[in-house]
Amino acid sequence: VNVRAQAAFEYLMTYSWAILIIGVVVGFLVYYGIFNPGSYVRPEAFGFSTFYVSENGWKLTADGKLTLIVQNQIDHRVEVTKIYANGETVPILTDLAPGESKMILDDHQLSGKSGAAGSSYKLKIAIEYNDTVTKLLHNDTGTLIGKFE
């Protein structure tokens, strides 16, 4: 009986050391941000159809200031009338020729959208525009994903 108890004790000690070492390594990796999904976020704009937003076409600062550059992708002029971002409406009146890129927001302060520099965000944007050919009002919606600067 004594030999079996010693064998069980040695078995538990061996695995305890292994679990302790694994715990220290995982703690080290978490501390240095290896498991932080925000560190792997690349800027991405998706969902837009009328307007093109390039990977470098926007910036959201840590204090919530948004700069946005868009390009008209359709074959005629459009008039941008409003932008909806983070639940607020930003009235704008600018027109874009086919293929033209223009900064439609320049350091616009978004209420309630701020974060630490380097942390990730996801921002839904809707661009309201008037089609100059059909004279109809449309919305082009998309999402911006990136890191606060």
Side-chain angles (χ1 to χ4, degrees):
V1 175
N2 218 2
V3 174
R4 290 178 64 191
Q6 171 132 5
F9 182 73
E10 288 176 4
Y11 177 80
L12 287 175
M13 286 302 292
T14 301
Y15 280 100
S16 297
W17 281 111
I19 290 171
L20 178 66
I21 290 169
I22 290 170
V24 168
V25 169
V26 168
F28 177 80
L29 294 174
V30 168
Y31 179 78
Y32 285 103
I34 303 298
F35 295 125
N36 180 6
S39 64
Y40 302 108
V41 173
R42 290 193 42 209
E44 184 180 2
F46 60 91
F48 297 102
S49 58
T50 303
F51 299 100
Y52 172 70
V53 180
S54 75
E55 197 172 283
N56 301 329
W58 80 93
K59 175 177 78 169
L60 184 58
T61 60
D63 58 351
K65 292 182 180 171
L66 177 65
T67 301
L68 179 64
I69 301 168
V70 298
Q71 179 182 21
N72 181 3
Q73 294 192 108
I74 57 177
D75 60 356
H76 53 274
R77 184 174 294 280
V78 295
E79 296 172 340
V80 177
T81 56
K82 292 180 188 164
I83 295 180
Y84 303 95
N86 198 41
E88 72 179 79
T89 304
V90 183
I92 292 176
L93 189 54
T94 188
D95 63 330
L96 290 162
E100 180 183 7
S101 292
K102 191 180 276 189
M103 183 179 298
I104 57 176
L105 284 180
D106 187 12
D107 278 346
H108 176 77
Q109 182 68 50
L110 292 178
S111 58
K113 194 65 174 180
S114 60
S119 64
S120 60
Y121 63 83
K122 184 176 184 178
L123 184 62
K124 293 201 178 285
I125 301 279
I127 302 171
E128 184 178 281
Y129 66 96
N130 185 17
D131 187 320
T132 57
V133 172
T134 64
K135 305 296 184 202
L136 295 175
L137 199 61
H138 298 282
N139 276 328
D140 190 15
T141 58
T143 304
L144 304 176
I145 295 176
K147 292 181 183 180
F148 288 103
E149 295 184 21

